Amino acid sequence: MSSEERPPSRLQEMPSWLIAQTATYAHRLLTDALAAADARGYHYRLLAALHEFGPTSQASLGRRTSIDRSDTVAMLNELAERGLVKRSPDPVDRRQNVVTITPRGTEQFQRLDAILAQVQSDLLAPLSAADRRLLSSLLSRVLAYHADQ
Amino acid sequence: MSSEERPPSRLQEMPSWLIAQTATYAHRLLTDALAAADARGYHYRLLAALHEFGPTSQASLGRRTSIDRSDTVAMLNELAERGLVKRSPDPVDRRQNVVTITPRGTEQFQRLDAILAQVQSDLLAPLSAADRRLLSSLLSRVLAYHADQ
DNA sequence: CAAATTTCAGTTCCACTGAGATGG
DNA sequence: CCCATCTCAGTGAAACTGAAATTT
């Protein structure tokens, strides 16, 4: 068995591969850290949206957090089970539910927010503050470009 | 319904989120493009390793391509069905198979390589050549740091 | 009528675990 | 005895599809 076992050079210089590998590692860090608080990534995304925007319909929550309509339903079920959000019918548009964050939900959001801040700094440990901003800005430009189709 | 439906600002400035969103989009581009050639991402990774390193054991292929041992078996089954690789028992270590790329496998690798080059340029369309190199180098530094535990 | 929302049921892909059999 | 390899069976999360029921 050779000593190094490095990846194919074609792969190693392919941006899509670097992004995928980094995302996989980040996902593991994030999932493990949130599991300790009985939460997952989707929970944080939804709580963050409710915390920032106030009571919101499920469809809008899904769009804001890039969570599929179908998964949004399932995740809100989990959050409601834990008493972190409350669903109520919207009086003005009876197709919709209005989802509200509870006081316990707000507490949990702040706990998760602190956990995720730590995850970011673990993930980007080798980069300076300026390099971290640079990375974020490059990725934001890619995403913004494709968001306009 | 508000006009914009932007994501929570907390999320939008979180590197792990930017990376995850970019990876999701890149994955969709890549999967769609490869599907047209009856292939998937794992196929390209394995063919690239075989093309660069020559005949290799399955365990080593898995390590080089970051594909789990279990998935490596399944993906090599698919590649062998398509006549793109050949498995033979290793005469010197009878625990191992030696996997070899066939001439048709090499052709397919080159086809996929061209497809993936196009995917990279679609994905990074808004970035200059210098910015693309910058992004790759930042991600490589993050990965290299964590590869040394 | 067309469009939006909520929900359910199901798929696909990726990452991973556990365990058995073979062999070094 | 311990370790590595190959294989199979199965799990779990994430992203997604299709369709039904309700309402605008």
Side-chain angles (χ1 to χ4, degrees), chain B residues 10-121:
Chain B
R10 275 301 220 295
L11 261 190
Q12 219 167 358
E13 58 191 38
M14 203 161 276
S16 62
W17 194 75
L18 298 170
I19 292 166
Q21 293 305 109
T22 309
T24 298
Y25 187 74
H27 181 254
R28 185 160 43 223
L29 281 183
L30 188 147
T31 301
D32 291 353
L34 290 181
D38 182 37
R40 15 175 156 186
Y42 276 176
H43 294 179
Y44 176 79
R45 292 199 211 175
L46 290 168
L47 292 175
L50 289 167
H51 183 261
E52 177 165 343
F53 303 117
T56 314
S57 78
Q58 299 189 187
S60 175
L61 278 176
R63 285 188 295 264
R64 286 190 190 280
T65 56
S66 295
I67 299 175
D68 186 81
R69 69 207 191 306
S70 198
D71 298 317
T72 303
V73 172
M75 290 307 111
L76 288 175
N77 287 342
E78 295 185 1
L79 291 173
E81 271 172 27
R82 291 162 168 75
L84 306 178
V85 306
K86 221 188 52 176
R87 268 191 263 227
S88 21
D90 184 329
V92 335
D93 184 341
R94 301 208 322 279
R95 291 171 309 184
Q96 300 189 161
N97 285 336
V98 174
V99 182
T100 313
I101 193 168
T102 65
R104 286 188 52 203
T106 301
E107 286 170 33
Q108 174 74 334
F109 167 67
Q110 275 147 4
R111 235 185 328 265
L112 300 185
D113 201 52
I115 291 174
L116 285 208
Q118 184 59 49
V119 167
Q120 308 307 311
S121 82

Side-chain angles (χ1 to χ4, degrees), chain A:
Chain A
M1 218 69 5
S2 72
S3 40
E4 300 231 340
E5 307 248 300
R6 60 179 167 71
S9 44
R10 275 302 222 294
L11 262 190
Q12 218 166 358
E13 58 190 40
M14 202 160 276
S16 63
W17 193 74
L18 296 170
I19 292 165
Q21 294 304 110
T22 309
T24 298
Y25 187 73
H27 182 255
R28 184 160 41 223
L29 281 183
L30 188 148
T31 301
D32 291 353
L34 290 181
D38 183 36
R40 16 175 155 186
Y42 276 174
H43 294 180
Y44 176 79
R45 293 199 211 174
L46 291 168
L47 293 176
L50 289 167
H51 184 261
E52 177 165 342
F53 303 116
T56 314
S57 78
Q58 300 189 185
S60 174
L61 278 176
R63 286 188 296 264
R64 287 189 189 281
T65 57
S66 294
I67 298 175
D68 186 81
R69 70 209 190 303
S70 198
D71 299 318
T72 303
V73 172
M75 289 308 112
L76 288 175
N77 287 342
E78 294 186 1
L79 291 173
E81 271 172 27
R82 291 164 168 74
L84 307 177
V85 305
K86 221 187 53 178
R87 266 190 266 227
S88 22
D90 185 331
V92 335
D93 184 341
R94 300 208 322 280
R95 290 172 308 183
Q96 300 189 164
N97 285 335
V98 173
V99 182
T100 313
I101 193 168
T102 65
R104 285 189 51 204
T106 302
E107 286 171 32
Q108 174 74 337
F109 167 68
Q110 275 147 3
R111 235 185 328 265
L112 300 184
D113 201 52
I115 290 174
L116 285 209
Q118 184 60 49
V119 167
Q120 309 307 311
S121 84
D122 291 349
L123 176 64
L124 302 184
L127 303 186
S128 69
D131 283 342
R132 294 177 193 200
R133 280 192 298 273
L134 198 48
L135 176 61
S136 289
S137 124
L138 291 167
L139 293 172
S140 294
R141 283 170 56 200
V142 170
L143 287 172
Y145 173 84
H146 292 291
D148 309 338
Q149 319 318 338

